[in-house]
Amino acid sequence: MSSESFPLLSLPFPAVQHFLSVLPIKEVLKIRQTCKTLKNWSSFRGEIVETLIMHNDKDDYKSCIPYEVLLSKRFPVTPLNKLNVFMTPSNSPEAILASMDSPVFKEVRFNAHYHWRQIFPFLHDGLERLYLFDEMDLPANDMPAFFKALSSFKGEVIWIHCNTLENHWFDAAFTAWSSLKGSVFESVRRTLYYLIEAVTMDGKLILFNNKLILFNNKFV
């Protein structure tokens, strides 16, 4: 789309503002690249970046945006591809997401120290890849809820490589997913040594092993 192919500049300014306010953020980026005037008029949609890295230490990672700075920005900062968050248990997922125009990122990475419930607000419909690193709080009593919630993830890859993980997570995953047979999963079985093979009702294969890596793959 360009200003030449759509006569935006000939419309009344309020009409143009309304159009720019409802335009998908990826289209806002395209239109900014074709017309300097529309780029200026769409400034209220905020900054559009390829990758957003959020950190809690203001003195670390110069390419990052500190949590408090991100939340205090007047206009949104929206990552199109990757979101990398260095969390603390006190960080609000809702506040981080509210600092964006809309969640369109395809990949999210969790680092530092976070609670498992902080993950799920970030799992929007267009998310393709989820990576969990460092310290994740997951009490034993919460494991069934955690693995049941993961089963609803529609992306292609979940990579779990936390320092806090134990092999007994394997048993928790097997128990939680077995309870979902007939609703979420067509089959759930143990294969080889510490390997779960689960097939979803829509034909997606999930493999989970004692290295704590989870892959989702569509059958070909």
Side-chain angles (χ1 to χ4, degrees), residues 53-66 86:
I53 306 175
M54 188 218 77
H55 207 281
N56 282 275
D57 187 348
K58 294 182 180 180
D59 298 323
D60 200 2
Y61 294 89
K62 292 183 179 179
S63 62
C64 301
I65 298 179
F86 289 76

Side-chain angles (χ1 to χ4, degrees), residues 36-88:
K36 185 176 181 180
T37 299
L38 292 176
K39 179 180 179 180
N40 293 334
W41 287 359
S42 66
S43 61
F44 68 95
R45 296 293 297 271
E47 185 179 358
I48 304 172
V49 298
E50 186 70 14
T51 300
L52 172 61
I53 306 175
M54 188 218 77
H55 207 281
N56 282 275
D57 187 348
K58 294 182 180 180
D59 298 323
D60 200 2
Y61 294 89
K62 292 183 179 179
S63 62
C64 301
I65 298 179
Y67 175 75
E68 297 296 340
V69 173
L70 179 65
L71 269 56
S72 65
K73 281 185 171 291
R74 179 182 178 188
F75 296 115
V77 180
T78 305
L80 292 180
N81 189 21
K82 297 179 182 180
L83 173 64
N84 194 351
V85 288
F86 289 76
M87 298 284 283
T88 71

Side-chain angles (χ1 to χ4, degrees), residues 84-88 109-114 131 133-135:
N84 194 351
V85 288
F86 289 76
M87 298 284 283
T88 71
R109 293 174 177 248
F110 286 84
N111 305 272
H113 181 204
Y114 49 95
Y131 296 89
F133 297 112
D134 296 336
E135 307 288 330

Side-chain angles (χ1 to χ4, degrees), residues 17-211:
Q17 284 289 87
H18 175 72
F19 176 82
L20 293 173
S21 70
V22 299
L23 195 65
I25 195 66
K26 292 181 180 180
E27 297 301 319
V28 172
L29 179 61
K30 291 179 182 179
I31 211 169
R32 285 177 175 181
Q33 295 169 343
T34 64
C35 179
K36 185 176 181 180
T37 299
L38 292 176
K39 179 180 179 180
N40 293 334
W41 287 359
S42 66
S43 61
F44 68 95
R45 296 293 297 271
E47 185 179 358
I48 304 172
V49 298
E50 186 70 14
T51 300
L52 172 61
I53 306 175
M54 188 218 77
H55 207 281
N56 282 275
D57 187 348
K58 294 182 180 180
D59 298 323
D60 200 2
Y61 294 89
K62 292 183 179 179
S63 62
C64 301
I65 298 179
Y67 175 75
E68 297 296 340
V69 173
L70 179 65
L71 269 56
S72 65
K73 281 185 171 291
R74 179 182 178 188
F75 296 115
V77 180
T78 305
L80 292 180
N81 189 21
K82 297 179 182 180
L83 173 64
N84 194 351
V85 288
F86 289 76
M87 298 284 283
T88 71
S90 63
N91 289 160
S92 167
E94 293 76 14
I96 295 171
L97 291 168
S99 71
M100 305 176 193
D101 180 272
S102 56
V104 295
F105 49 87
K106 297 179 180 179
E107 175 181 307
V108 61
R109 293 174 177 248
F110 286 84
N111 305 272
H113 181 204
Y114 49 95
H115 190 275
W116 70 273
R117 292 189 185 276
Q118 291 176 291
I119 297 166
F120 292 95
F122 293 90
L123 305 189
H124 63 90
D125 289 341
L127 188 67
E128 297 176 359
R129 299 175 298 276
L130 168 65
Y131 296 89
L132 306 177
F133 297 112
D134 296 336
E135 307 288 330
M136 179 170 69
D137 292 337
L138 178 59
N141 290 341
D142 289 349
M143 287 183 183
F146 172 74
F147 284 108
K148 284 183 180 180
L150 275 188
S151 69
S152 64
F153 177 65
K154 301 302 182 183
E156 294 302 317
V157 176
I158 304 174
W159 188 295
I160 307 176
H161 195 54
C162 303
N163 299 336
T164 46
L165 296 185
E166 303 289 346
N167 281 343
H168 65 272
W169 284 37
F170 175 88
D171 295 322
F174 183 77
T175 299
W177 292 345
S178 294
S179 70
L180 299 176
K181 282 195 292 187
S183 56
V184 175
F185 295 111
E186 181 179 315
S187 64
V188 179
R189 66 191 185 102
R190 298 173 185 258
T191 62
L192 302 177
Y193 177 72
Y194 273 110
L195 178 66
I196 299 173
E197 180 184 280
V199 179
T200 64
M201 300 299 288
D202 61 352
K204 182 173 287 186
L205 174 66
I206 296 178
L207 300 177
F208 184 58
N209 65 18
N210 66 331
K211 291 183 180 179

